């Protein structure tokens, strides 16, 4: 019996068949513009094809200069580019997979001076103002889409995805929000969808009948003056008539103020949107967003929410996702935790994409866990993220590894993170590492605090001993009102009704999230949509509820404080920081920057802000003011002549950084 019968069922498209219902969604990785990028993309996509995914969609490729993500970004407008793309498609086909190329015209989102849109309205996430497209511009761009599709076909792609959602150019024509035209391309809905349909018709004419065309349709814009549901249905029917093979779901514009893919979004949280369209069109529908386990994907398909599921970042986390599911090894899947830290944050910072839980992602040609030629006896002290990565990869390579930790469970700081509302996905990472310990033969010794003398028989010693919270030099810091974040998040010490948090880094924000929830909240779709102001009937244009967000009241009055005068939370993730700030603002957390801490006494926390002395009459002061590395064993081991390696917080403790810790542990394991 098939373990996931709906997920693993083939999908007949008439002229071709997909071997299962799993689409690897489009992600811009940065490899598109990197040196030897096509060779690296070939390795990246081929590994996912070997992992069993039914159809891959590439990162977005511009159909012309104006449509590129940025100046110098990927574009396919010339036959001279075709042989480079052949490197990718040949590798995917040799691995038994199928791949479609996404044609992406970014419109007003393009980070370059020569950008265009339906109307000359600047995007709030871009400082370049677009030029309004003329009739000539529009006709030329339609032809450019068709040429791009034809070249993709010549390059060996099995299809293309026409990007019509997420607020990009086609979406900019469709929505009143960005289309203020009064000619034949604006005004009525029929006029506003004309550009999308003419593009699709031109693409179909260019590639013929037996070529996959996916249309990415924005079913929920999440911006004012977006599409209503009646308009979504009308467009879907027209898209089918225009020649699309599949319709993929687009959720939210990049400028939308509703989280759509972050870890705080419930799993499969937007499948209900696609379900509303099921049965309204005759071509298969793909649903997307926060689908990260085969169980979630199977349930979505079994409930009739879609014909196919799209997952993007889960294939960064584990290229063998589908293979493991098909072999009843889902407990071995390295699950995407939706953190965005090494994928989207990297791309928006101009860095190469990777994955917090899988540093090999997009590094397949350089970071490989090959068998060792010299087996060593290794001790890894500390079973946090860095130690877990190092120990399991070293053991996978053939080393004899013992992993020590003074705690009674693996995970280190992840055991704190998993308790934060919206960060429950960290349980999956700990499940994955626990299984890896079993499979690789790591000798795990918990409840074991080791001394240097206990480690003399090992060839190499890795210290992944983490951090200790730092106490700032504030008069009264020893007062009974004062708690460390470990007291609250790990040890469960009681917290009063009025609280001041000193330190507004990631730990400070996590602590604020923790104490502003009472534990009764559920992470289901309807509660999430209500909290963030999404109209699940989509009767209002754009799908935003007229009453706006509605968050449950906080059980506490909270102040979040920082010494720096910059915006509170400025150092948080580029694509998720706004979510954390908005979430706490909905809980009425008071955020203060430029704070001097004068003293703590029975009355509370005395501070100075902008030269003004203030008393925060709080019941507790929680310290989240940084940490120091724990390296107590290092010197004694060095004195004994033992090779010692520091990783994770033991190496650098300026901010808790699981991305760096896992990457560092993985790379050390390769070098040993």
């Amino acid at each position: 019996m098939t373990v996931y019968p709906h997920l693993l069922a083939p999908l007949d498209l008439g002229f071709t068949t997909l071997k299962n219902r799993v689409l690897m969604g489009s992600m811009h990785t940065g490899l598109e513009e990197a040196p030897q990028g096509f060779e690296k993309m070939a390795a990246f996509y081929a590994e996912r094809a070997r992992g069993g995914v039914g159809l891959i969609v590439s990162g977005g490729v511009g159909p012309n200069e104006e449509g590129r993500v940025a100046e110098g970004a990927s574009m396919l407008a010339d036959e001279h580019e075709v042989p480079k793309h052949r490197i990718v498609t040949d590798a995917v086909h040799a691995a038994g997979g199928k791949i479609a190329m996404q044609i992406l015209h970014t419109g007003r989102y393009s980070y370059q001076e020569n950008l265009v849109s339906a109307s000359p309205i600047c995007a709030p996430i871009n400082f370049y103002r677009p030029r309004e497209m003329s009739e000539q511009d529009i006709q030329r761009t339609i032809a450019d889409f068709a040429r791009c599709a034809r070249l993709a076909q010549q390059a060996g792609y099995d299809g293309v995805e026409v990007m019509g959602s997420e607020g990009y150019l086609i979406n900019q024509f469709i929505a009143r929000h960005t289309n203020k035209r009064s000619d034949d391309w604006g005004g009525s809905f029929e006029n506003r969808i004309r550009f999308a349909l003419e593009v699709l018709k031109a693409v179909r004419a260019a590639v013929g009948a037996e070529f996959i065309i996916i249309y990415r349709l924005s079913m929920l814009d999440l911006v004012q003056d977006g599409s209503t549901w009646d308009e979504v249905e009308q467009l879907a029917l027209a898209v089918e008539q225009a020649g699309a093979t599949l319709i993929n779901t687009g959720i939210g514009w990049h400028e939308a103020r509703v989280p759509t893919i972050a870890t705080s979004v419930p799993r499969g949280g937007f499948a209900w949107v696609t379900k509303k369209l099921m049965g309204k069109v005759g071509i298969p529908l793909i649903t997307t967003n926060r689908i990260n386990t085969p169980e979630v994907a199977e349930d979505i398909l079994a409930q009739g929410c879609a014909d196919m599921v799209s997952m993007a970042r889960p294939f960064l986390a584990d290229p063998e996702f589908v293979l493991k599911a098909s072999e009843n090894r889902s407990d071995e899947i390295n699950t995407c935790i939706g953190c965005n830290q090494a994928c989207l944050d990297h791309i928006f910072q101009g860095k190469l994409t990777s994955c917090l839980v899988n540093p090999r992602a997009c590094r397949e040609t350089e970071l490989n866990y090959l068998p060792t030629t010299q087996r060593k006896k290794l001790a890894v002290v500390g079973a946090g993220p860095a130690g877990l990565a190092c120990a399991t990869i070293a053991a996978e390579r053939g080393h004899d590894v013992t992993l020590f930790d003074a705690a009674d469970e693996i995970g280190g700081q992840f055991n704190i993170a998993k308790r934060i509302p919206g960060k429950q996905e960290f349980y999956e990472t700990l499940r994955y590492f626990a299984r890896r310990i079993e499979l690789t033969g790591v000798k795990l010794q918990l409840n074991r605090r080791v001394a240097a003398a206990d480690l003399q028989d090992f060839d190499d010693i890795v210290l992944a001993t983490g951090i200790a919270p730092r106490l700032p030099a504030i008069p009264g810091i020893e007062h009974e009102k004062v708690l460390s974040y470990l007291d609250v998040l790990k040890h469960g010490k009681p917290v009063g009704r009025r609280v001041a948090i000193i330190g507004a880094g990631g730990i400070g924000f996590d602590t604020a999230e923790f104490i502003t929830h009472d534990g009764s909240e559920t992470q289901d779709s309807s509660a999430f949509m209500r909290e963030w102001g999404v109209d699940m009937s989509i009767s209002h244009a754009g799908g935003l509820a007229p009453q706006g967000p509605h968050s449950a009241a906080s059980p506490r009055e909270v102040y979040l404080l920082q010494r720096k005068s910059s915006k509170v939370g400025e150092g948080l993730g580029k694509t998720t920081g706004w979510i954390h700030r908005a979430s706490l603002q909905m809980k009425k957390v008071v955020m203060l920057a430029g704070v001097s801490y004068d003293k703590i006494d029975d009355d509370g926390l005395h501070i100075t802000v902008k030269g003004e002395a203030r008393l925060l009459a709080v019941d507790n002061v929680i310290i989240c003011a940084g940490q120091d590395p724990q390296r107590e064993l290092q010197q004694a081991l060095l004195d004994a002549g033992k090779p010692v390696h520091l990783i994770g917080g033991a190496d650098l403790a300026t901010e808790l950084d699981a991305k760096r810790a896992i990457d560092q542990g993985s790379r050390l394991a390769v070098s040993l």
Side-chain angles (χ1 to χ4, degrees):
M1 179 180 175
T2 306
V3 186
Y4 302 103
H6 296 86
L7 186 67
L8 301 176
L11 181 60
D12 185 359
L13 300 179
F15 57 88
T16 190
T17 299
L18 304 181
K19 58 188 174 184
N20 54 53
R21 304 302 179 99
V22 181
L23 181 88
M24 177 177 163
S26 174
M27 292 175 287
H28 197 82
T29 64
L31 292 173
E32 296 85 354
E33 296 82 29
Q36 291 81 50
F38 285 92
E39 290 79 7
K40 292 175 181 178
M41 278 193 290
F44 172 73
Y45 287 123
E47 190 163 306
R48 275 78 193 160
R50 283 192 297 274
V53 64
L55 177 62
I56 294 167
V57 179
S58 76
V61 176
N64 55 29
E65 292 272 356
E66 301 156 340
R68 296 185 298 178
V69 172
E71 190 170 350
S74 183
M75 178 177 71
L76 181 56
D78 191 302
E79 288 191 358
H80 292 100
E81 295 291 318
V82 167
K84 296 178 183 178
H85 286 267
R86 270 279 178 195
I87 298 169
V88 176
T89 59
D90 285 349
V92 169
H93 294 150
K98 294 181 187 294
I99 183 168
M101 189 190 82
Q102 186 186 81
I103 307 177
L104 168 66
H105 193 303
T106 53
R108 71 177 193 154
Y109 283 165
S110 182
Y111 284 98
Q112 59 172 327
E113 292 185 6
N114 182 31
L115 71 167
V116 298
S117 185
S119 297
I121 304 170
C122 191
I125 58 173
N126 198 353
F127 43 81
Y128 294 115
R129 181 173 295 277
R131 181 184 84 250
E132 179 171 297
M133 294 175 73
S134 66
E135 176 72 26
Q136 184 179 8
D137 289 331
I138 291 170
Q139 296 297 342
R140 174 177 51 82
T141 301
I142 292 169
D144 289 344
F145 268 92
R147 178 187 60 199
C148 188
R150 185 174 63 252
L151 292 173
Q153 189 177 41
Q154 291 176 20
Y157 288 98
D158 301 283
V160 293
E161 179 175 72
V162 175
M163 184 52 157
S165 67
E166 263 72 11
Y168 291 117
L169 179 68
I170 292 175
N171 213 171
Q172 291 161 26
F173 268 89
I174 294 168
R176 301 176 193 84
H177 185 71
T178 41
N179 187 339
K180 308 298 183 183
R181 305 174 72 100
S182 57
D183 60 4
D184 290 344
W185 304 96
S188 70
F189 186 65
E190 288 73 18
N191 281 358
R192 285 184 278 114
I193 64 174
R194 184 179 164 210
F195 180 68
L197 300 178
E198 291 301 318
V199 165
L200 265 177
K201 291 172 186 175
V203 167
R204 177 53 77 194
V207 298
E210 297 191 351
F211 192 68
I212 298 170
I213 299 178
I214 308 165
Y215 181 78
R216 186 79 174 265
L217 192 158
S218 185
M219 297 189 197
L220 187 64
D221 290 327
L222 298 176
V223 294
Q224 295 294 337
D225 292 327
S227 296
T228 64
W229 185 252
D230 287 344
E231 291 172 338
V232 169
E233 286 192 9
Q234 184 179 335
L235 176 56
L237 287 165
V239 162
E240 179 180 12
Q241 291 299 313
T245 316
L246 297 153
I247 293 177
N248 197 0
T249 300
I251 300 292
W253 291 28
H254 284 304
E255 63 204 69
R257 295 291 89 183
V258 177
T260 56
I261 61 172
T263 189
S264 57
V265 178
R267 290 179 176 180
F270 289 96
W272 60 270
V273 181
T274 315
K275 188 175 184 179
K276 287 174 72 70
L277 194 59
M278 286 289 283
K280 303 295 176 62
V281 292
I283 56 177
L285 300 180
I286 307 165
T287 196
T288 187
N289 287 48
R290 283 288 286 132
I291 302 166
N292 66 342
T293 72
E295 291 79 13
V296 171
E298 174 69 18
D299 187 55
I300 285 170
L301 295 174
Q303 290 187 27
C305 296
D307 300 291
M308 196 171 185
V309 295
S310 172
M311 293 177 275
R313 295 171 302 164
F315 288 102
L316 291 175
D318 198 328
E320 294 187 328
F321 182 103
V322 177
L323 178 65
K324 290 176 179 177
S326 68
E327 295 178 350
N328 199 20
R329 296 190 290 126
S330 60
D331 62 339
E332 297 177 29
I333 292 174
N334 195 3
T335 303
C336 168
I337 60 175
C339 67
N340 290 1
Q341 291 181 32
C343 49
L344 285 177
D345 282 357
H346 275 207
I347 283 299
F348 280 96
Q349 293 167 353
K351 300 177 182 177
L352 191 65
T353 284
S354 187
C355 177
L356 182 147
V357 298
N358 176 27
R360 280 197 70 245
C362 299
R363 312 276 188 299
E364 289 77 13
T365 61
E366 65 181 72
L367 182 58
N368 288 293
Y369 308 146
L370 304 176
T372 182
T373 57
Q374 182 183 357
R375 191 169 194 258
K376 292 182 177 181
K377 186 177 181 182
L378 305 178
V380 179
V381 184
L388 288 167
C390 185
T392 54
I393 293 169
E396 176 188 341
R397 296 187 59 229
H399 291 301
D400 178 4
V401 182
T402 304
L403 176 61
F404 300 94
D405 200 288
D408 60 0
E409 60 181 345
I410 65 168
Q413 295 291 322
F414 269 23
N415 289 310
I416 297 170
K418 71 186 184 186
R419 295 184 171 93
I420 307 302
K423 289 193 173 183
Q424 291 86 352
E425 293 290 7
F426 282 95
Y427 280 98
E428 294 290 349
T429 307
L430 296 178
R431 180 267 310 151
Y432 168 76
F433 275 122
R435 185 71 175 120
R436 292 286 295 152
I437 287 170
E438 294 175 5
L439 293 171
T440 59
V442 171
K443 299 165 187 170
L444 178 63
Q445 294 196 22
L446 296 174
N447 297 303
R448 179 80 190 278
R449 186 176 297 278
V450 293
D454 301 317
L455 304 173
Q456 297 305 307
D457 293 337
F458 291 93
D459 299 315
D460 278 84
I461 297 150
V462 179
L463 295 184
T465 40
I467 55 86
R470 182 186 304 142
L471 284 179
I474 301 171
I477 194 69
E478 301 297 334
H479 195 280
E480 63 182 2
K481 287 179 180 285
V482 176
L483 301 168
S484 75
Y485 67 87
L486 289 180
D487 291 330
V488 177
L489 302 178
K490 185 177 181 180
H491 304 301
K493 289 192 176 179
V495 177
R497 198 188 64 80
R498 304 189 74 220
V499 182
I501 298 173
I502 292 179
I507 301 169
F509 269 80
D510 278 354
T511 302
E513 281 283 0
F514 184 80
I515 66 173
T516 53
H517 288 73
D518 62 11
S520 65
E521 298 91 343
T522 59
Q523 200 190 28
D524 61 53
S525 290
S526 58
F528 176 87
M529 300 304 156
R530 185 168 56 254
E531 178 181 7
W532 287 94
V534 177
D535 168 25
M536 294 185 74
S537 71
I538 321 184
S539 57
H540 296 89
L544 294 176
Q547 68 271 21
H550 179 73
S551 180
S554 169
R556 295 181 177 86
E557 181 182 328
V558 178
Y559 298 88
L560 183 58
L561 316 172
Q562 69 176 33
R563 288 187 189 274
K564 292 184 292 185
S565 57
S566 56
K567 181 172 67 175
V568 176
E570 187 177 51
L572 299 176
K574 190 171 181 65
T575 62
T576 55
W578 69 270
I579 300 173
H580 299 305
R581 284 190 292 271
S583 177
L584 294 187
Q585 286 164 358
M586 287 192 285
K587 296 289 188 180
K588 296 183 168 47
V589 171
V590 178
M591 303 182 198
L592 297 177
V595 177
S596 296
Y597 308 110
D598 301 325
K599 66 178 179 177
I600 302 166
D601 60 19
D602 290 346
D603 295 327
L605 174 62
H606 299 259
I607 61 174
T608 300
V609 185
K610 296 179 180 179
E612 178 186 349
R614 294 181 57 181
L615 168 65
L616 303 182
V618 294
D619 304 307
N620 288 109
V621 178
I622 303 176
I623 307 298
C624 305
Q627 46 278 322
D628 296 309
Q630 294 196 105
R631 304 171 181 163
E632 291 83 359
L633 290 171
Q634 182 185 20
Q635 194 57 52
L637 290 167
L638 291 174
D639 291 344
K642 305 301 294 184
V644 179
H645 310 271
L646 297 174
I647 58 174
D651 174 49
L652 184 65
T654 51
E655 180 66 75
L656 296 183
D657 187 348
K659 177 184 68 175
R660 180 180 56 81
I662 292 176
D663 181 79
Q664 195 176 27
S666 302
R667 291 180 182 274
L668 176 60
V670 169
S671 71
L672 290 172

